[in-house]
């Protein structure tokens, strides 16, 4: 299962285990059980503090295993073989159950300990899903801190009958005490907010007490992170308000065009961004959504939970999200056959028929990936021809189980009340309506800027993007913007980073040229200290 290099690395990690661990496996005679047994036996040999036990418990899924702290009720469970993106989750579970400290602040740890009630979480994942590990690791950490929280991770590919019975068509899907709790990426803070009804009010109170920021950055993607780094290096009081740090990058699988980084993926890139920002004195306020901007001598940002933050300058870097096709059935069957991430949800459609809507690079890449999993892919493009790069089109045309339909307008997604079963489109040249029977629809038609909360506050383009000049200045003095949320063309990570840095420099220039005497004096003093 594990090659020599991986064994060496894992052995080094397991030296951090300080308390005895018992791995209890529930297996049968299947090939998957044999594969899991081999993996667990290899792990067992890498540390003297690990003991492997095999028990035939009919109540447990097979193959599955738990990682328990010896002599306690601390533990987590995996149903399936946690390789792929979940191998990191396995390693962290071994370390944390084995007594290695979790990376959470004391206030969050205390909040988890104080949760009242018994919580049984079941998380359905796929090993190709880059969003799933965050959920798995969050719930595992919470169960280690509070034994009244139990967490099991279930590989949908190993337990397809459960996936079918529960009609799961998107990962991660979380069940709590037998009921759907949530879908999609979420971390400890977001899960806690849903479990602890008073958390939002407490957070709002704490946020509103914060001192005035010299620059407040709204958004934690590449543009926001670059802005934070450049602002902090100027020695001014810098804050980042982010709905989720990393932004749209978290939903990106492969990144192969960021200069100096030959190849990485979105989640790893997002972690690197956050670590870089945290190396400076930046106040990161994560899992907070901005709801209102009020201009003035001190600009106010009101959050969704009612907090009010004040700043002398603001940089808007709220990014963009997947664009929807806005046809009947899309919202009804979202996560029940309608999906937006082929890498995450594709494995759930193995052997089934799917459609991809969109003929740009994202759409064609999705069709290529899905062709290797599904029985057939229908790619539907509104225009007369595909817009993807020639190399991608050549690859697409070489696949026998892909049908390309151009000059077609999707009009409706059909279902049986619980899941998708067909799609309708109009042939734009003839006006004829056609129907395609299928089980899944992947929407890949670009992005829409996250600016709904800004309408009426500053100038937006007809596409909803924030209008900026060459310096990143918006129509409001002291308010700047950067990244995919702006009118700057070419929505690329490297461009967003550069625009974020430029916006921070512009904001700093605004501060030192401001008529606010106090700001000028403070800025001059800080410049002297950092010179």
């Amino acid at each position: 299962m594990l090659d020599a290099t991986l064994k060496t690395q894992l052995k080094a990690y397991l030296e951090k285990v300080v308390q005895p661990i018992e791995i209890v496996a529930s297996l049968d005679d299947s090939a998957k059980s044999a594969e899991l047994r081999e993996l667990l036996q290899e792990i067992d040999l890498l540390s003297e503090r690990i003991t492997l036990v095999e028990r035939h418990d009919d109540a447990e899924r097979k193959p599955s295993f738990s990682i328990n702290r010896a002599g306690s009720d601390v533990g987590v469970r995996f149903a399936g073989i946690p390789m792929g993106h979940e191998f990191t989750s396995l390693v962290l579970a071994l370390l944390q159950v084995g007594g290695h400290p979790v990376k959470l602040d004391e206030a969050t740890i205390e909040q988890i300990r104080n949760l009242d009630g018994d919580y049984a979480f079941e998380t359905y994942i796929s090993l190709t899903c880059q969003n799933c590990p965050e959920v798995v690791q969050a719930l595992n950490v919470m169960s280690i801190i509070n034994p009244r929280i139990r967490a099991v991770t279930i590989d949908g590919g190993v337990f397809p009958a459960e996936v079918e019975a529960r009609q799961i068509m998107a990962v991660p899907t979380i069940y709590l005490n037998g009921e759907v709790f949530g879908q999609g990426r979420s971390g400890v803070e977001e899960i806690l907010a849903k479990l602890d009804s008073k958390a939002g009010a407490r957070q709002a109170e704490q946020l509103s007490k914060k001192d005035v920021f010299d620059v407040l950055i709204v958004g934690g993607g590449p543009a926001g992170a670059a802005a934070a780094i450049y602002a902090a290096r100027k020695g001014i009081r810098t804050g980042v308000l982010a709905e989720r740090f990393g932004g749209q990058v978290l939903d990106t699988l492969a990144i192969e065009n960021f200069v100096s980084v030959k190849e990485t993926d979105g989640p790893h890139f997002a972690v690197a961004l956050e670590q870089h920002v945290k190396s400076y004195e930046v106040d990161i306020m994560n899992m907070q959504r901005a709801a209102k901007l009020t201009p003035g001598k001190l600009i106010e940002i009101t959050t969704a939970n009612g907090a009010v933050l004040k700043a002398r300058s603001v940089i808007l870097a709220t990014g963009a999200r997947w664009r929807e096709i806005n046809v009947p059935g899309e919202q009804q069957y979202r996560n029940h056959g309608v999906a937006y991430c082929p890498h995450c949800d594709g494995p759930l459609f193995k052997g089934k028929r799917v459609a991809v809507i969109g003929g740009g690079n994202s759409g064609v890449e999705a069709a290529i990936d899905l062709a290797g999993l599904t029985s057939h892919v229908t790619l539907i493009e509104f225009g007369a021809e595909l817009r993807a790069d020639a190399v991608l089109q050549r690859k697409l045309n070489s696949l026998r189980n892909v049908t390309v339909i151009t000059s077609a307008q999707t009009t409706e997604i059909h279902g049986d009340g619980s899941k998708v079963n067909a799609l309708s489109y109009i042939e734009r040249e003839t006006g004829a309506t056609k129907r395609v029977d299928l089980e899944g629809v992947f929407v890949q038609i670009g992005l829409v800027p996250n600016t709904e909360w800004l309408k009426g506050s500053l100038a937006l383009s007809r596409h909803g993007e924030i209008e900026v000049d060459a310096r990143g200045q918006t129509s409001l003095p002291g308010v700047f913007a950067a990244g995919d949320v702006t009118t700057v063309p070419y929505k690329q990570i490297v461009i967003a980073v550069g625009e974020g840095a430029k916006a921070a420099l512009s904001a700093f220039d605004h501060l030192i040229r401001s008529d606010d005497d106090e700001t000028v004096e403070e800025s001059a003093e800080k410049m002297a200290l950092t010179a």
Side-chain angles (χ1 to χ4, degrees):
M1 285 292 294
L2 305 177
D3 60 32
T5 300
L6 198 53
K7 285 182 181 178
T8 300
Q9 293 173 340
L10 183 55
K11 184 178 177 64
Y13 278 120
L14 293 178
E15 289 177 359
K16 299 177 182 179
V17 171
V18 295
Q19 298 188 40
I21 295 174
E22 185 179 65
I23 299 178
V24 181
S26 181
L27 308 170
D28 54 22
D29 296 328
S30 67
K32 285 294 183 182
S33 282
E35 192 176 343
L36 179 58
R37 181 182 287 111
E38 180 183 353
L39 172 64
L40 297 180
Q41 287 174 343
E42 291 179 352
I43 293 174
D44 180 33
L45 294 174
L46 296 177
S47 174
E48 295 180 352
R49 291 190 175 92
I50 295 177
T51 302
L52 175 61
V53 178
E54 187 173 332
R55 292 177 184 162
H56 300 281
D57 187 347
D58 292 335
E60 297 294 350
R61 298 174 177 89
K62 295 182 177 63
S64 67
F65 66 99
S66 62
I67 303 173
N68 306 317
R69 183 177 297 167
S72 77
D73 52 2
V74 172
V76 300
R77 190 167 197 89
F78 292 90
I81 307 168
M83 298 297 288
H85 284 298
E86 292 302 338
F87 187 70
T88 300
S89 302
L90 170 61
V91 175
L92 287 173
L94 289 166
L95 295 178
Q96 291 163 350
V97 172
H100 190 68
V102 300
K103 292 184 177 180
L104 293 175
D105 60 75
E106 284 302 320
T108 302
I109 292 173
E110 191 64 20
Q111 187 180 359
I112 295 170
R113 284 199 186 109
N114 292 334
L115 285 174
D116 188 24
D118 295 303
Y119 305 89
F121 285 99
E122 300 168 288
T123 305
Y124 289 86
I125 58 96
S126 69
L127 299 184
T128 58
C129 168
Q130 72 269 27
N131 292 324
C132 294
E134 181 177 357
V135 176
V136 171
Q137 292 162 25
L139 290 172
N140 284 350
V141 163
M142 292 175 68
S143 69
I144 290 167
I145 294 170
N146 184 344
R148 295 184 70 180
I149 300 171
R150 310 301 296 173
V152 56
T153 301
I154 306 159
D155 181 357
V158 178
F159 298 91
E162 287 191 40
V163 169
E164 188 69 25
R166 283 180 157 174
Q167 297 185 351
I168 295 169
M169 293 187 173
V171 289
T173 291
I174 311 168
Y175 278 76
L176 171 58
N177 298 335
E179 301 292 334
V180 175
F181 176 76
Q183 292 177 312
R185 176 185 288 272
S186 56
V188 171
E189 292 173 315
E190 188 171 356
I191 295 169
L192 269 177
K194 294 178 73 173
L195 296 178
D196 186 351
S197 59
K198 298 180 180 179
R202 291 198 303 270
Q203 289 176 353
E205 183 180 358
Q206 292 300 316
L207 289 175
S208 296
K209 292 179 180 178
K210 289 183 180 291
D211 292 336
V212 174
F213 291 97
D214 289 317
V215 60
L216 177 61
I217 299 149
V218 184
I229 291 168
Y230 268 73
R233 287 175 62 85
K234 292 295 184 181
I236 57 179
R237 178 167 165 74
T238 304
V240 174
L241 186 78
E243 190 166 356
R244 57 171 188 161
F245 204 98
Q248 186 76 9
V249 163
L250 292 166
D251 301 323
T252 304
L253 186 61
I255 298 173
E256 299 175 345
N257 58 359
F258 192 83
V259 181
S260 83
V261 180
K262 185 176 180 180
E263 182 179 358
T264 185
D265 60 56
H268 283 96
F269 189 80
V271 168
L273 287 177
E274 187 169 8
Q275 289 175 341
H276 196 173
V277 173
K278 285 182 175 179
S279 68
Y280 294 94
E281 291 187 11
V282 176
D283 188 346
I284 298 178
M285 296 157 281
N286 201 13
M287 305 307 301
Q288 300 294 330
R289 181 167 58 86
K292 181 181 178 182
L293 183 151
T294 305
K297 186 174 182 181
L298 289 180
I299 303 159
E300 294 185 354
I301 298 293
T302 304
T303 67
N305 62 13
V308 177
L309 298 166
K310 297 180 180 180
R312 296 186 175 94
S313 66
V314 166
I315 297 174
L316 303 171
T318 48
R321 63 187 183 277
W322 293 116
R323 186 180 297 277
E324 299 173 348
I325 51 176
N326 295 316
V327 300
E330 181 179 18
Q331 294 304 320
Q332 180 181 356
Y333 294 108
R334 190 184 184 104
N335 295 327
H336 293 280
V338 176
Y340 301 85
C341 180
H343 304 295
C344 301
D345 301 331
L348 299 176
F349 295 85
K350 185 176 182 180
K352 298 180 179 180
R353 300 161 298 176
V354 301
V356 173
I357 300 176
N361 282 349
S362 296
V364 172
E365 287 175 350
I368 292 170
D369 289 344
L370 291 167
L373 294 168
T374 62
S375 64
H376 191 270
V377 179
T378 301
L379 188 147
I380 299 175
E381 161 61 23
F382 182 84
E385 57 185 25
L386 299 182
R387 296 167 286 108
D389 295 341
V391 63
L392 294 175
Q393 292 193 45
R394 285 195 296 271
K395 174 62 176 178
L396 183 73
N397 292 331
S398 72
L399 302 174
R400 295 183 178 181
N401 64 332
V402 176
T403 299
V404 177
I405 302 173
T406 56
S407 296
Q409 180 178 356
T410 303
T411 56
E412 185 173 358
I413 296 172
H414 307 280
D416 61 7
S418 59
K419 58 184 178 180
V420 167
N421 60 20
L423 173 149
S424 290
Y425 68 91
I426 293 175
E427 289 183 340
R428 296 177 59 220
E429 293 179 355
T430 67
T433 297
K434 301 288 185 179
R435 179 184 172 106
V436 180
D437 292 329
L438 41 71
E439 288 76 41
V441 177
F442 288 82
V443 180
Q444 299 281 286
I445 58 171
L447 303 171
V448 59
N450 295 316
T451 56
E452 289 83 0
W453 66 287
L454 292 168
K455 289 180 180 178
S457 299
L458 44 67
L460 303 177
S461 72
R462 64 187 181 91
H463 299 296
E465 298 167 320
I466 301 173
E467 294 183 349
V468 293
D469 64 14
R471 298 169 61 85
Q473 173 71 58
T474 72
S475 60
L476 289 177
V479 179
F480 302 83
D484 288 1
V485 75
T486 73
T487 50
V488 171
Y490 311 119
K491 311 305 184 185
Q492 299 289 312
I493 295 172
V494 69
I495 292 174
V497 167
E499 291 296 310
K502 181 169 66 177
L505 295 174
S506 296
F508 180 72
D509 186 64
H510 166 78
L511 290 174
I512 62 176
R513 296 174 186 275
S514 170
D515 292 333
D516 184 340
D517 294 337
E518 181 181 3
T519 300
V520 173
E521 292 171 1
E522 289 178 351
S523 297
E525 181 181 352
K526 289 167 183 173
M527 287 176 65
L529 291 173
T530 57

